[in-house]
Amino acid sequence: MTQRNHHHQDHQAHGEQPPHPRTGAEGDVHAGHDKHAGHSVASFRDKFWFTLLLTIPTLIWSGMIQHWFDYTAPQFPGSAYIPAVFGTIVYFYGGWPFLRGGYHELRNRLPGMMTLISLAITVAFLYSALVTLGVVEGLDLWWELATLVAIMLLGHWIEMRSINQAQGALKELAKLLPDMAVRLDEAGTAKEVPVADLKRGDLLLIRPGASIPADGVVKEGTSAVNEAMITGESKPMDKSVDDRVIAGTVNGQGSLRVEVTGTGDETALAGIMRLVEQAQTSRSRAQALADRAAFYLTIIAIVSAAITAIVWPLLGRPWSFTIERVVTVLVIACPHALGLAIPLVTAISTTIGARNGLLVRDRRGLEEARLLNTVVFDKTGTLTLGSHRVVKTTAAEGLTDDEVLRVAASVQRDAEHPIAQALMTSAKEHGIDVPMSQGFESMPGRGVRAVVEERSLHVGGPGLLRMLAVEPPETLRRAAESAAADGQSATYLVEGDRVLAVFAIADAIRPESFDAVKRLHDEGLEVVLLTGDSTAVANAVAKELNIDTVFAEVLPEDKVAKIEELQAQGKRVAMVGDGVNDAPALLTSDVGIAIGTGTDVAVEAGDVVLVRSDPRDVPAIIELSKATYRKMIQNLWWAAGYNIVAIPLAAGVLAAWGILLQPALGAVLMSLSTVVVAINAQLLRRAVRSP
């Protein structure tokens, strides 16, 4: 058996360590980009604006700028040194993040964009200083140095904002929890306490409109709870006694009393935050490709700069020209956009998934989803509801389906049998008000009897008909035979010697399953049903859903063999299951998709967890995977491809025709590629359609 390692990979590119999200404006570290470690968005913003202020006088008193624009700056003692003084401050103040980042890259023997930027500004600084001090003759590059640093700071500020906005899912999730909760003591007295003081077993009062502070079970009251922020389900979910509620969701108009079942790290919200963080730090193959491309591009840039520094003096060009070309090559070749191309797409796709109820545990799994051609579904609780329902009602002539379901549910009201639960649940889902019954009597092996609205009624199976010696009319008999052929239980409603109805009871198919299978077929994927249930039941479900292949009566330990059998046929297989009984099959498949329940999201076996247990999210995962991969490849081509033209142009190959790139313009072009990559990544937000 080949099983994948689902533990997230260490984020080691460029010496990086897995990021730890921090909250607050000053602690928003650029996750996944350790070149910015220790700097917040605010610090880069402040550095940019102060550097820009220092750059303005550097430009105004620059001799080259005065010559180009034909003006004379105000003259006073020492005014000639303004570019040098302000340029030096810009180098040490504004350039410090790049100098430090370059030092760490070289120390780790992984030269990258910080190395190139620090080399460029250092070469420009040292040469300009030597010119200003009269050590060498030439034209200083103070204004180029100042504008270069200002533009680079602006680019990094924009980049960090983009990444932090994309990774804001963690901070937004953290904000969902209230600070205080209303706890009830044994006497029913309400007291407001900090959420941190809550423990299992506490009884909470959830007032209308309040956020729910902990996972729990409703003990009293009814309400509708908005769970969209956790499950992505836009419709408020009705909650009553024994229903589960999730920390961070918002209560509706009703009042609830909830017993705490999980607090702090035990809550579903905490589990979601862990999965989001893990997904954003796990590495994909595309990220590894970007890291290699950035490394090689750095080497190419350094070699190109060295060749430029050798060739132009040999061709008789002055050192000022040569240094300017070297600086431009180093700047324009910075793999800045490459460094942003994958992490930004990763952050955005993870956030999109979380907002749509798709929790990505492992980036590699999401990346593989685009290559799938076969999706294997477990049946119970995945394509079906996991609990019995009346899937078909056939009433005797002159009676309606709702009428017979109403009285049958009333007869079974006090029973505990699954058939009774199926009738009661179906009546509730149809909005039927079930009346009280009297004289309830259970007849083991046959059924039950009760009096409903002064009518003596029986509900039971074929044994009940034999006991009462009654025969159903032809239409009801055929309906019962059809149910049996589909592996469904036939339950009869009898009054006196007349059979009033037959109910086909089974684990009902989720309404969403039909659309899920259709969308997978539209994408050209084969759909397989893998279940331990009987062949008759499996075939009936498969026929109704138009599923291609059925594996029935398969024991949990044999499911792995079925997955491997499909893989041996050259198929790339996703397994969709509950993450418990199906854990080995989830691990063996190419992509494991675990069904969550909103309160159990920490499923360790799957690459992706479906929080709301909606099978339509499976095609959504594939759509997200394909869209994410497209954006990654587009970004990689844009980030690296433009250097094919840009580096020779920066080196001055068209200088003979008067076409030269200034270092500042090179920085603008490099920053522009970063902006394009960021905008392209943002377009990913349109990729996933909600079910």
Side-chain angles (χ1 to χ4, degrees), residues 188-472:
T189 304
K191 181 181 179 181
E192 197 169 50
V193 298
V195 170
D197 291 349
L198 297 180
K199 59 183 182 299
R200 284 174 176 256
D202 283 349
L203 188 64
L204 305 180
L205 172 62
I206 312 297
R207 294 190 172 108
S211 292
I212 295 174
D215 287 358
V217 176
V218 177
K219 291 301 180 181
E220 184 180 334
T222 60
S223 186
V225 176
N226 184 354
E227 298 181 342
M229 62 291 294
I230 302 293
T231 66
E233 180 61 61
S234 58
K235 181 182 177 182
M237 304 300 293
D238 291 332
K239 300 292 181 181
S240 57
V241 176
D242 293 335
D243 286 337
R244 292 184 174 274
V245 292
I246 310 170
T249 56
V250 180
N251 188 25
Q253 297 301 311
S255 179
L256 298 174
R257 281 169 170 74
V258 172
E259 181 181 318
V260 175
T261 59
T263 62
D265 289 341
E266 300 173 336
T267 63
L269 181 61
I272 290 172
M273 292 177 68
R274 284 193 296 271
L275 292 184
V276 172
E277 179 183 1
Q278 179 176 320
Q280 290 182 343
T281 58
S282 62
R283 286 169 50 76
S284 66
R285 292 184 177 88
Q287 179 64 62
L289 174 62
D291 292 339
R292 288 196 301 272
F295 176 78
Y296 289 124
L297 183 56
T298 300
I299 301 303
I300 291 170
I302 293 173
V303 171
S304 299
I307 293 173
T308 301
I310 294 170
V311 170
W312 283 119
L314 293 177
L315 295 177
R317 289 285 188 159
W319 274 106
S320 60
F321 177 87
T322 302
I323 295 299
E324 190 177 76
R325 294 301 94 219
V326 169
V327 170
T328 307
V329 168
L330 290 172
V331 169
I332 207 164
C334 283
H336 198 213
L338 267 176
L340 181 64
I342 304 305
L344 184 54
V345 173
T346 296
I348 291 174
S349 63
T350 304
T351 302
I352 290 172
R355 287 177 177 172
N356 285 274
L358 317 174
L359 294 182
V360 181
R361 286 192 65 249
D362 193 297
R363 294 293 315 173
R364 292 178 185 268
L366 179 61
E367 193 171 292
E368 290 288 324
R370 67 186 177 85
L371 303 173
L372 295 172
N373 51 33
T374 304
V375 176
V376 178
F377 283 98
D378 175 47
K379 180 183 75 70
T380 305
T382 303
L383 292 175
T384 64
L385 293 169
S387 59
H388 284 72
R389 301 288 197 282
V390 175
V391 296
K392 186 178 181 181
T393 301
T394 306
E397 186 176 354
L399 301 175
T400 66
D401 291 353
D402 283 358
E403 181 182 353
V404 294
L405 178 58
R406 173 178 173 272
V407 293
S410 180
V411 172
Q412 291 275 19
R413 186 170 189 141
D414 294 333
E416 295 294 333
H417 192 275
I419 297 297
Q421 298 302 315
L423 288 166
M424 287 296 296
T425 300
S426 297
K428 180 180 177 181
E429 290 177 347
H430 283 79
I432 298 173
D433 185 20
V434 178
M436 297 296 294
S437 60
Q438 287 101 27
F440 175 82
E441 179 185 351
S442 176
M443 298 172 288
R446 294 176 176 83
V448 298
R449 172 189 174 279
V451 176
V452 179
E453 297 173 341
E454 300 182 357
R455 299 168 64 187
S456 179
L457 299 165
H458 292 80
V459 174
L464 176 68
L465 300 186
R466 289 192 294 271
M467 184 190 77
L468 297 176
V470 297
E471 286 289 334

Side-chain angles (χ1 to χ4, degrees), residues 324-632:
E324 190 177 76
R325 294 301 94 219
V326 169
V327 170
T328 307
V329 168
L330 290 172
V331 169
I332 207 164
C334 283
H336 198 213
L338 267 176
L340 181 64
I342 304 305
L344 184 54
V345 173
T346 296
I348 291 174
S349 63
T350 304
T351 302
I352 290 172
R355 287 177 177 172
N356 285 274
L358 317 174
L359 294 182
V360 181
R361 286 192 65 249
D362 193 297
R363 294 293 315 173
R364 292 178 185 268
L366 179 61
E367 193 171 292
E368 290 288 324
R370 67 186 177 85
L371 303 173
L372 295 172
N373 51 33
T374 304
V375 176
V376 178
F377 283 98
D378 175 47
K379 180 183 75 70
T380 305
T382 303
L383 292 175
T384 64
L385 293 169
S387 59
H388 284 72
R389 301 288 197 282
V390 175
V391 296
K392 186 178 181 181
T393 301
T394 306
E397 186 176 354
L399 301 175
T400 66
D401 291 353
D402 283 358
E403 181 182 353
V404 294
L405 178 58
R406 173 178 173 272
V407 293
S410 180
V411 172
Q412 291 275 19
R413 186 170 189 141
D414 294 333
E416 295 294 333
H417 192 275
I419 297 297
Q421 298 302 315
L423 288 166
M424 287 296 296
T425 300
S426 297
K428 180 180 177 181
E429 290 177 347
H430 283 79
I432 298 173
D433 185 20
V434 178
M436 297 296 294
S437 60
Q438 287 101 27
F440 175 82
E441 179 185 351
S442 176
M443 298 172 288
R446 294 176 176 83
V448 298
R449 172 189 174 279
V451 176
V452 179
E453 297 173 341
E454 300 182 357
R455 299 168 64 187
S456 179
L457 299 165
H458 292 80
V459 174
L464 176 68
L465 300 186
R466 289 192 294 271
M467 184 190 77
L468 297 176
V470 297
E471 286 289 334
E474 182 64 19
T475 54
L476 300 188
R477 186 181 62 78
R478 285 199 301 268
E481 291 173 350
S482 176
D486 290 338
Q488 300 165 348
S489 299
T491 297
Y492 301 90
L493 172 65
V494 181
E495 183 177 17
D497 60 356
R498 183 188 178 198
V499 180
L500 304 181
V502 61
F503 305 97
I505 295 176
D507 185 4
I509 296 173
R510 291 179 181 273
E512 305 88 358
S513 297
F514 296 92
D515 187 41
V517 174
K518 180 181 183 301
R519 284 170 61 178
L520 289 171
H521 281 153
D522 290 344
E523 291 291 326
L525 279 77
E526 177 186 3
V527 181
V528 177
L529 181 63
L530 179 61
T531 179
D533 217 333
S534 68
T535 301
V537 171
N539 286 336
V541 172
K543 180 180 179 181
E544 194 164 352
L545 290 175
N546 193 28
I547 288 175
D548 306 296
T549 306
V550 177
F551 295 125
E553 301 180 22
V554 180
L555 297 175
E557 57 268 28
D558 295 331
K559 289 185 177 182
V560 168
K562 294 299 182 182
I563 297 296
E564 291 177 333
E565 179 183 323
L566 292 169
Q567 290 172 326
Q569 298 171 17
K571 297 175 180 178
R572 300 192 67 85
V573 181
M575 173 68 194
V576 186
D578 62 15
V580 181
N581 296 329
D582 300 312
L586 287 167
L587 287 165
T588 305
S589 62
D590 296 289
V591 178
I593 302 173
I595 292 291
T597 61
T599 57
D600 184 18
V601 297
V603 182
E604 292 298 323
D607 295 301
V608 182
V609 179
L610 307 186
V611 176
R612 58 190 167 201
S613 306
D614 189 334
R616 293 176 297 178
D617 286 337
V618 176
I621 291 166
I622 297 172
E623 291 172 16
L624 178 60
S625 175
K626 290 179 178 179
T628 299
Y629 186 77
R630 281 197 304 270
K631 290 302 175 188
M632 285 182 174

Side-chain angles (χ1 to χ4, degrees), residues 61-229:
W61 271 274
S62 169
M64 182 66 72
I65 298 297
Q66 292 182 62
H67 173 72
W68 283 351
F69 291 94
D70 193 23
Y71 74 93
T72 301
Q75 301 296 310
F76 51 84
S79 62
Y81 292 99
I82 287 179
V85 172
F86 283 83
T88 299
I89 297 173
V90 166
Y91 172 73
F92 285 105
Y93 173 76
W96 179 247
F98 310 115
L99 295 172
R100 190 178 69 170
Y103 166 75
H104 287 298
E105 286 182 350
L106 292 175
R107 187 182 66 179
N108 294 329
R109 298 180 182 178
L110 289 169
M113 67 188 73
M114 290 304 207
T115 302
L116 293 184
I117 297 171
S118 58
L119 275 175
I121 63 177
T122 299
V123 168
F125 170 73
L126 292 176
Y127 175 74
S128 298
L130 292 175
V131 170
T132 302
L133 295 173
V135 177
V136 298
E137 293 185 2
L139 297 173
D140 62 62
L141 302 173
W142 292 118
W143 78 269
E144 288 96 333
L145 168 63
T147 53
L148 174 57
V149 172
I151 291 170
M152 295 306 301
L153 286 172
L154 175 61
H156 282 64
W157 173 28
I158 293 173
E159 176 189 352
M160 288 185 68
R161 282 190 61 191
S162 297
I163 289 287
N164 275 275
Q165 287 170 358
Q167 293 182 327
L170 287 178
K171 293 188 286 294
E172 292 304 314
L173 286 173
K175 293 176 184 176
L176 295 177
L177 280 179
D179 296 324
M180 304 295 288
V182 179
R183 185 167 60 192
L184 301 174
D185 60 19
E186 293 181 359
T189 304
K191 181 181 179 181
E192 197 169 50
V193 298
V195 170
D197 291 349
L198 297 180
K199 59 183 182 299
R200 284 174 176 256
D202 283 349
L203 188 64
L204 305 180
L205 172 62
I206 312 297
R207 294 190 172 108
S211 292
I212 295 174
D215 287 358
V217 176
V218 177
K219 291 301 180 181
E220 184 180 334
T222 60
S223 186
V225 176
N226 184 354
E227 298 181 342
M229 62 291 294

